[in-house]
Amino acid sequence: MKNNNNMLLSASVSLLFAFSANSETMPVLVKDNGIKQPTITKIVEADYDLVNLDALDIPIEQQPVHFSQAISTADKASFNNKGYTDVSDEYWFEATGRELMLGVAINISQPGALIRLSGKHGKNQTKEGWQHSIDPEAVSLLKAGHKLGAAFTQKVSAEQFATANIFPNSSALQVNKTLGTGKFTLKVEQALQASQRYMVNVKEKNAEHKLHLAIDKQSYRQGQDIYFNADVFNSHGEALPAHQKVSVKLPNGEVQPLQVSQVNKQFKVALPQVHHEQERGQLYELMIDTAAQHNGIKVRRNGKVAFAVSKATARLEGKVNHHADAIEFNLNVASEGRYEISGIVYGMNSQGKSVAFMLSRSAYHLSAGLHKKSLQLDKAIINKSGLQAPYTVKSVQLLDQSRLALLQQL
């Protein structure tokens, strides 16, 4: 399986250098330009092509900027491209006005479920033309074809939601706990536009079973596969066998189903090729629709996680040169723009433990081509840290600031 970053360090995961923390106490290192037996690290050539994009028609800072800040060990985790886990006790689906008037199936696995009905805003509808809220007094619940009395213990209208300034064009109902669990039919006895689309959301607070959807990171390069875990666990951490449908919501709102394969204990999906241009910073959503069985009761759960997809407009490659107050990288740029190199610096404490103490960033406006650019380090922060050499730079990242994209992480 390919490395998710498609980048390997030939000698070390981190970039090792040993410049002086205190030139007054280590004069030999100053004489050697602050370096003692530097480890020259080479970044192996990547196996993906760079993308040439047109220069952005927006004002972009042209001058280099260098910034370092002292950090604590606890701060360092927030600079990584971290994964994310969504825990869901709910599910949702779309239905037309016609389907709601005929009746739609509702599966309840936890007594007292909360049902929310929301009218969707169509692409060609004006704000004044999509007020399609459903009156909760016109909603009934059936089981085995029989209408249930006192089916709901609480009802919230669209007007009440509007007063609270939440869930526009929505109404909600709480199912009577005494009705228990099982398969029900939700029916709207109100004249609705047949083609109008609604979102039906069923939330089961304090549910025994919850969907855990986890991805390993939230930023991907175009062409990379996404690996994820999706399981319905009970309160004891035991997983239910489940059937899953996986789809992706593109930045333009289009939803496309995805083919899923299993690799070891993870699922893998390949993103569809997107041919239209997206605006800077727009996100995708990985969406899971899961169904399982427990004691003859159907358990439905939906989950979703947002992530970014970037085009490979540049990369770090080749040799890395170490200096007393900087690390020099070879930067291959395919698209003109502003790029940032960043890294977290570690030093050795009195117990011989490596401790993170500084985050450094350097940004440059670059044209297409090959460049040698440095990550500048603040020696004043190094001197104040009280830590000793060897110093190590980890979590090196390359960002395309112009297009708000994480391109590389070493």
Side-chain angles (χ1 to χ4, degrees):
M1 183 172 65
K2 292 184 179 180
N3 183 287
N4 279 337
N5 291 302
N6 285 306
M7 280 288 161
L8 299 174
L9 299 183
S10 60
S12 170
V13 172
S14 60
L15 307 175
L16 182 65
F17 60 103
F19 54 82
S20 170
N22 190 326
S23 58
E24 295 180 359
T25 59
M26 303 182 71
V28 175
L29 297 184
V30 173
K31 184 177 179 180
D32 294 336
N33 197 27
I35 303 175
K36 182 180 180 181
Q37 297 178 344
T39 300
I40 302 298
T41 304
K42 183 178 181 181
I43 304 171
V44 177
E45 184 176 351
D47 61 353
Y48 59 87
D49 295 328
L50 296 179
V51 179
N52 180 276
L53 301 177
D54 293 336
L56 294 172
D57 187 22
I58 57 173
I60 297 177
E61 175 62 52
Q62 302 289 311
Q63 296 302 313
V65 174
H66 307 286
F67 176 76
S68 292
Q69 66 184 89
I71 63 172
S72 67
T73 303
D75 292 331
K76 71 181 190 313
S78 63
F79 301 111
N80 296 328
N81 181 11
K82 302 186 296 295
Y84 181 79
T85 299
D86 174 64
V87 180
S88 171
D89 59 2
E90 60 187 313
Y91 70 93
W92 56 84
F93 60 92
E94 282 192 22
T96 64
R98 175 181 173 80
E99 290 169 336
L100 287 171
M101 289 187 291
L102 292 174
V104 294
I106 296 289
N107 296 97
I108 296 178
S109 61
Q110 176 72 21
L114 180 66
I115 302 173
R116 189 174 75 245
L117 305 169
S118 304
K120 295 196 68 178
H121 187 186
K123 291 183 178 180
N124 299 320
Q125 290 177 318
T126 63
K127 186 175 181 179
E128 294 75 17
W130 64 281
Q131 301 303 320
H132 300 286
S133 60
I134 293 174
D135 182 356
E137 296 296 337
V139 179
S140 59
L141 199 63
L142 296 83
K143 192 166 189 178
H146 300 289
K147 185 175 180 179
L148 301 172
F152 305 108
T153 56
Q154 187 176 2
K155 301 177 181 180
V156 182
S157 68
E159 291 76 13
Q160 289 171 305
F161 274 133
T163 301
N165 200 27
I166 57 174
F167 301 129
N169 207 33
S170 298
S171 55
L173 311 99
Q174 184 163 21
V175 178
N176 194 326
K177 289 184 178 181
T178 62
L179 297 180
T181 61
K183 183 177 180 179
F184 298 82
T185 300
L186 183 78
K187 187 174 182 180
V188 177
E189 298 171 341
Q190 170 187 340
L192 302 176
Q193 289 186 14
S195 60
Q196 172 63 36
R197 304 198 69 81
Y198 293 84
M199 184 66 71
V200 181
N201 180 283
V202 181
K203 183 174 179 63
E204 301 185 330
K205 188 176 180 181
N206 302 320
E208 167 71 9
H209 298 94
K210 297 180 180 179
L211 170 66
H212 292 245
L213 168 62
I215 56 175
D216 58 350
K217 56 184 181 178
Q218 289 186 277
S219 181
Y220 296 85
R221 190 186 68 253
Q222 191 174 68
Q224 283 186 310
D225 294 328
I226 294 180
Y227 291 84
F228 68 94
N229 296 94
D231 294 283
V232 177
F233 291 109
N234 64 16
S235 57
H236 303 292
E238 300 165 334
L240 293 180
H243 174 72
Q244 298 173 339
K245 295 179 181 179
V246 183
S247 58
V248 63
K249 186 175 182 180
L250 305 178
N252 66 352
E254 180 184 352
V255 176
Q256 292 189 13
L258 298 177
Q259 294 296 319
V260 183
S261 59
Q262 193 160 2
V263 180
N264 298 323
K265 294 184 178 181
Q266 286 188 302
F267 297 106
K268 182 182 79 169
V269 293
L271 291 178
Q273 291 293 324
V274 178
H275 300 290
H276 60 81
E277 290 298 320
Q278 65 186 72
E279 295 182 10
R280 297 190 307 154
Q282 287 187 319
L283 298 176
Y284 293 66
E285 281 186 325
L286 180 68
M287 303 192 298
I288 310 293
D289 185 339
T290 300
Q293 292 284 335
H294 177 68
N295 294 335
I297 302 298
K298 188 173 185 178
V299 179
R300 294 186 60 183
R301 295 289 181 263
N302 284 51
K304 59 183 179 180
V305 290
F307 60 94
V309 177
S310 61
K311 294 182 179 179
T313 53
R315 65 170 169 246
L316 303 172
E317 58 188 28
K319 281 190 175 182
V320 178
N321 297 315
H322 310 272
H323 304 286
D325 57 357
I327 302 176
E328 186 181 68
F329 293 89
N330 290 296
L331 189 53
N332 187 349
V333 177
S335 302
E336 179 183 345
R338 187 169 181 82
Y339 295 91
E340 175 192 303
I341 305 170
S342 66
I344 298 176
V345 184
Y346 291 68
M348 303 297 289
N349 63 15
S350 57
Q351 288 78 41
K353 182 180 178 181
S354 181
V355 178
F357 69 93
M358 180 170 66
L359 169 67
S360 294
R361 305 176 189 269
S362 292
Y364 304 88
H365 185 274
L366 301 173
S367 58
L370 300 176
H371 304 268
K372 289 185 179 294
K373 292 298 175 183
S374 295
L375 173 62
Q376 299 289 333
L377 308 172
D378 191 325
K379 294 195 70 175
I381 295 177
I382 295 171
N383 292 336
K384 290 179 181 179
S385 71
L387 301 173
Q388 301 297 319
Y391 298 97
T392 308
V393 174
K394 300 181 181 180
S395 300
V396 174
Q397 292 184 341
L398 175 65
L399 291 92
D400 184 340
Q401 289 187 341
S402 307
R403 301 169 182 87
L404 304 178
L406 173 61
L407 302 179
Q408 202 172 352
Q409 181 169 317
L410 307 179

